[in-house]
Short mmCIF file of all heavy atoms in Angstrom, two decimals:
data_model
loop_
_atom_site.label_atom_id
_atom_site.label_comp_id
_atom_site.label_asym_id
_atom_site.label_seq_id
_atom_site.Cartn_x
_atom_site.Cartn_y
_atom_site.Cartn_z
N VAL H 201 12.30 -11.43 -20.79
CA VAL H 201 12.89 -12.38 -19.83
C VAL H 201 13.98 -11.70 -19.00
O VAL H 201 14.09 -11.92 -17.79
CB VAL H 201 13.46 -13.61 -20.58
CG1 VAL H 201 14.32 -14.45 -19.65
CG2 VAL H 201 12.34 -14.43 -21.16
N LEU H 202 14.77 -10.85 -19.63
CA LEU H 202 15.87 -10.19 -18.92
C LEU H 202 15.36 -9.20 -17.87
O LEU H 202 16.00 -9.03 -16.82
CB LEU H 202 16.78 -9.47 -19.92
CG LEU H 202 17.58 -10.37 -20.86
CD1 LEU H 202 18.38 -9.53 -21.84
CD2 LEU H 202 18.51 -11.29 -20.08
N VAL H 203 14.24 -8.56 -18.15
CA VAL H 203 13.74 -7.55 -17.20
C VAL H 203 12.70 -8.12 -16.25
O VAL H 203 12.32 -7.44 -15.28
CB VAL H 203 13.13 -6.34 -17.95
CG1 VAL H 203 14.16 -5.70 -18.85
CG2 VAL H 203 11.90 -6.74 -18.75
N ALA H 204 12.21 -9.35 -16.51
CA ALA H 204 11.19 -9.92 -15.64
C ALA H 204 11.81 -10.30 -14.30
O ALA H 204 12.92 -10.81 -14.24
CB ALA H 204 10.57 -11.16 -16.30
N PRO H 205 11.08 -10.09 -13.20
CA PRO H 205 11.60 -10.49 -11.88
C PRO H 205 11.63 -12.00 -11.76
O PRO H 205 10.78 -12.70 -12.33
CB PRO H 205 10.60 -9.87 -10.90
CG PRO H 205 9.34 -9.75 -11.68
CD PRO H 205 9.76 -9.46 -13.11
N ASP H 206 12.61 -12.49 -11.04
CA ASP H 206 12.73 -13.92 -10.81
C ASP H 206 11.82 -14.27 -9.63
O ASP H 206 12.16 -14.05 -8.48
CB ASP H 206 14.18 -14.31 -10.49
CG ASP H 206 14.40 -15.82 -10.54
OD1 ASP H 206 13.37 -16.55 -10.60
OD2 ASP H 206 15.54 -16.26 -10.50
N ARG H 207 10.66 -14.84 -9.92
CA ARG H 207 9.69 -15.10 -8.87
C ARG H 207 10.04 -16.32 -8.03
O ARG H 207 9.36 -16.62 -7.07
CB ARG H 207 8.30 -15.29 -9.48
CG ARG H 207 7.89 -14.07 -10.30
CD ARG H 207 6.45 -14.16 -10.74
NE ARG H 207 6.13 -13.08 -11.66
CZ ARG H 207 5.83 -11.85 -11.30
NH1 ARG H 207 5.85 -11.55 -10.01
NH2 ARG H 207 5.55 -10.93 -12.20
N ARG H 208 11.09 -17.00 -8.41
CA ARG H 208 11.53 -18.13 -7.57
C ARG H 208 12.24 -17.66 -6.32
O ARG H 208 12.37 -18.39 -5.35
CB ARG H 208 12.46 -19.04 -8.37
CG ARG H 208 11.79 -19.75 -9.52
CD ARG H 208 12.80 -20.43 -10.39
NE ARG H 208 13.70 -19.46 -10.98
CZ ARG H 208 14.76 -19.81 -11.71
NH1 ARG H 208 15.04 -21.07 -11.90
NH2 ARG H 208 15.53 -18.87 -12.23
N LEU H 209 12.73 -16.43 -6.38
CA LEU H 209 13.43 -15.89 -5.23
C LEU H 209 12.43 -15.14 -4.37
O LEU H 209 11.91 -14.10 -4.76
CB LEU H 209 14.56 -14.95 -5.69
CG LEU H 209 15.62 -15.59 -6.58
CD1 LEU H 209 16.63 -14.55 -7.00
CD2 LEU H 209 16.30 -16.75 -5.86
N ARG H 210 12.10 -15.65 -3.26
CA ARG H 210 11.17 -15.02 -2.34
C ARG H 210 11.94 -14.23 -1.31
O ARG H 210 12.99 -14.66 -0.82
CB ARG H 210 10.30 -16.07 -1.63
CG ARG H 210 9.59 -16.99 -2.60
CD ARG H 210 8.62 -16.23 -3.47
NE ARG H 210 7.90 -17.13 -4.36
CZ ARG H 210 7.06 -16.73 -5.28
NH1 ARG H 210 6.84 -15.46 -5.46
NH2 ARG H 210 6.44 -17.62 -6.03
N ILE H 211 11.42 -13.07 -0.94
CA ILE H 211 12.08 -12.25 0.06
C ILE H 211 11.83 -12.85 1.42
O ILE H 211 10.69 -12.96 1.88
CB ILE H 211 11.54 -10.81 0.01
CG1 ILE H 211 11.81 -10.21 -1.37
CG2 ILE H 211 12.16 -9.96 1.09
CD1 ILE H 211 11.24 -8.83 -1.55
N ALA H 212 12.88 -13.28 2.09
CA ALA H 212 12.76 -13.90 3.40
C ALA H 212 12.46 -12.82 4.44
O ALA H 212 12.93 -11.69 4.35
CB ALA H 212 14.06 -14.63 3.76
N PRO H 213 11.63 -13.15 5.46
CA PRO H 213 11.35 -12.15 6.50
C PRO H 213 12.62 -11.79 7.26
O PRO H 213 13.47 -12.62 7.53
CB PRO H 213 10.33 -12.86 7.40
CG PRO H 213 10.51 -14.32 7.13
CD PRO H 213 10.94 -14.42 5.70
N ALA H 214 12.70 -10.53 7.61
CA ALA H 214 13.89 -10.05 8.32
C ALA H 214 13.95 -10.66 9.71
O ALA H 214 12.93 -10.69 10.42
CB ALA H 214 13.86 -8.53 8.41
N PRO H 215 15.09 -11.19 10.14
CA PRO H 215 15.19 -11.77 11.48
C PRO H 215 15.04 -10.71 12.56
O PRO H 215 15.36 -9.54 12.36
CB PRO H 215 16.60 -12.39 11.50
CG PRO H 215 17.36 -11.62 10.48
CD PRO H 215 16.36 -11.24 9.41
N ALA H 216 14.53 -11.15 13.71
CA ALA H 216 14.35 -10.21 14.82
C ALA H 216 15.71 -9.74 15.31
O ALA H 216 16.66 -10.53 15.38
CB ALA H 216 13.59 -10.89 15.95
N PRO H 217 15.84 -8.46 15.63
CA PRO H 217 17.13 -7.95 16.11
C PRO H 217 17.54 -8.59 17.43
O PRO H 217 16.71 -8.81 18.32
CB PRO H 217 16.89 -6.44 16.26
CG PRO H 217 15.40 -6.31 16.41
CD PRO H 217 14.81 -7.41 15.60
N ALA H 218 18.81 -8.94 17.51
CA ALA H 218 19.32 -9.55 18.74
C ALA H 218 19.31 -8.54 19.87
O ALA H 218 19.62 -7.35 19.67
CB ALA H 218 20.75 -10.07 18.52
N PRO H 219 18.93 -8.94 21.09
CA PRO H 219 18.91 -7.99 22.21
C PRO H 219 20.32 -7.55 22.58
O PRO H 219 21.29 -8.26 22.37
CB PRO H 219 18.26 -8.78 23.34
CG PRO H 219 18.52 -10.22 22.98
CD PRO H 219 18.49 -10.27 21.48
N ALA H 220 20.40 -6.35 23.12
CA ALA H 220 21.69 -5.83 23.56
C ALA H 220 22.23 -6.67 24.70
O ALA H 220 21.46 -7.26 25.47
CB ALA H 220 21.55 -4.37 24.00
N PRO H 221 23.55 -6.74 24.89
CA PRO H 221 24.13 -7.57 25.98
C PRO H 221 23.62 -7.17 27.34
O PRO H 221 23.30 -8.04 28.17
CB PRO H 221 25.63 -7.33 25.83
CG PRO H 221 25.81 -6.92 24.40
CD PRO H 221 24.59 -6.17 24.04
N ALA H 222 23.51 -5.89 27.63
CA ALA H 222 23.06 -5.46 28.95
C ALA H 222 21.62 -5.86 29.18
O ALA H 222 21.24 -6.33 30.26
CB ALA H 222 23.22 -3.94 29.09
N ALA H 223 20.79 -5.67 28.14
CA ALA H 223 19.39 -6.04 28.29
C ALA H 223 19.24 -7.54 28.45
O ALA H 223 18.38 -8.02 29.21
CB ALA H 223 18.61 -5.56 27.06
N ALA H 224 20.05 -8.34 27.73
CA ALA H 224 19.98 -9.79 27.85
C ALA H 224 20.37 -10.24 29.24
O ALA H 224 19.75 -11.13 29.84
CB ALA H 224 20.88 -10.44 26.81
N ALA H 225 21.42 -9.63 29.81
CA ALA H 225 21.85 -9.98 31.17
C ALA H 225 20.77 -9.63 32.18
O ALA H 225 20.49 -10.38 33.12
CB ALA H 225 23.16 -9.27 31.50
N ALA H 226 20.15 -8.47 32.05
CA ALA H 226 19.10 -8.06 32.97
C ALA H 226 17.91 -9.01 32.88
O ALA H 226 17.30 -9.35 33.90
CB ALA H 226 18.66 -6.63 32.65
N ALA H 227 17.59 -9.46 31.65
CA ALA H 227 16.48 -10.39 31.48
C ALA H 227 16.77 -11.72 32.16
O ALA H 227 15.90 -12.31 32.79
CB ALA H 227 16.20 -10.60 30.00
N LYS H 228 18.03 -12.19 32.06
CA LYS H 228 18.39 -13.45 32.71
C LYS H 228 18.30 -13.32 34.23
O LYS H 228 17.83 -14.22 34.93
CB LYS H 228 19.79 -13.86 32.29
CG LYS H 228 19.88 -14.33 30.83
CD LYS H 228 21.30 -14.77 30.48
CE LYS H 228 21.40 -15.24 29.05
NZ LYS H 228 22.76 -15.67 28.71
N GLN H 229 18.78 -12.20 34.77
CA GLN H 229 18.70 -11.99 36.22
C GLN H 229 17.25 -11.94 36.69
O GLN H 229 16.89 -12.50 37.73
CB GLN H 229 19.42 -10.69 36.59
CG GLN H 229 20.94 -10.77 36.43
CD GLN H 229 21.62 -9.46 36.79
OE1 GLN H 229 20.94 -8.50 37.13
NE2 GLN H 229 22.94 -9.46 36.71
N GLN H 230 16.39 -11.30 35.91
CA GLN H 230 14.99 -11.21 36.28
C GLN H 230 14.34 -12.59 36.27
O GLN H 230 13.56 -12.93 37.16
CB GLN H 230 14.26 -10.29 35.30
CG GLN H 230 12.78 -10.07 35.63
CD GLN H 230 12.59 -9.35 36.95
OE1 GLN H 230 13.43 -8.52 37.33
NE2 GLN H 230 11.55 -9.72 37.67
N ASP H 231 14.70 -13.42 35.25
CA ASP H 231 14.15 -14.77 35.20
C ASP H 231 14.61 -15.60 36.37
O ASP H 231 13.84 -16.36 36.98
CB ASP H 231 14.58 -15.45 33.89
CG ASP H 231 13.93 -14.80 32.68
OD1 ASP H 231 12.92 -14.10 32.87
OD2 ASP H 231 14.45 -14.98 31.56
N ALA H 232 15.91 -15.46 36.74
CA ALA H 232 16.43 -16.20 37.89
C ALA H 232 15.75 -15.76 39.17
O ALA H 232 15.42 -16.56 40.05
CB ALA H 232 17.95 -16.00 37.99
N PHE H 233 15.53 -14.45 39.34
CA PHE H 233 14.88 -13.93 40.53
C PHE H 233 13.45 -14.44 40.64
O PHE H 233 12.99 -14.85 41.71
CB PHE H 233 14.89 -12.39 40.47
CG PHE H 233 14.13 -11.76 41.62
CD1 PHE H 233 14.69 -11.70 42.89
CD2 PHE H 233 12.86 -11.27 41.41
CE1 PHE H 233 13.97 -11.13 43.93
CE2 PHE H 233 12.15 -10.71 42.44
CZ PHE H 233 12.69 -10.62 43.71
N ASP H 234 12.75 -14.45 39.47
CA ASP H 234 11.38 -14.95 39.49
C ASP H 234 11.32 -16.41 39.86
O ASP H 234 10.46 -16.85 40.64
CB ASP H 234 10.74 -14.75 38.11
CG ASP H 234 10.55 -13.27 37.79
OD1 ASP H 234 10.57 -12.47 38.75
OD2 ASP H 234 10.39 -12.94 36.59
#
């Protein structure tokens, strides 16, 4: 029991990395232009 893995704890998928501020600003400008 002590060495068995706790199967109730599921590994959550890693969140997507947040975009860099410069890239986010450029994306917003491109959307506004479109």
Side-chain angles (χ1 to χ4, degrees):
V201 169
L202 293 177
V203 301
D206 193 349
R207 303 188 187 279
R208 294 170 298 174
L209 301 177
R210 306 297 183 185
I211 300 176
K228 289 182 180 180
Q229 290 179 358
Q230 183 64 32
D231 293 341
F233 175 77
D234 293 341

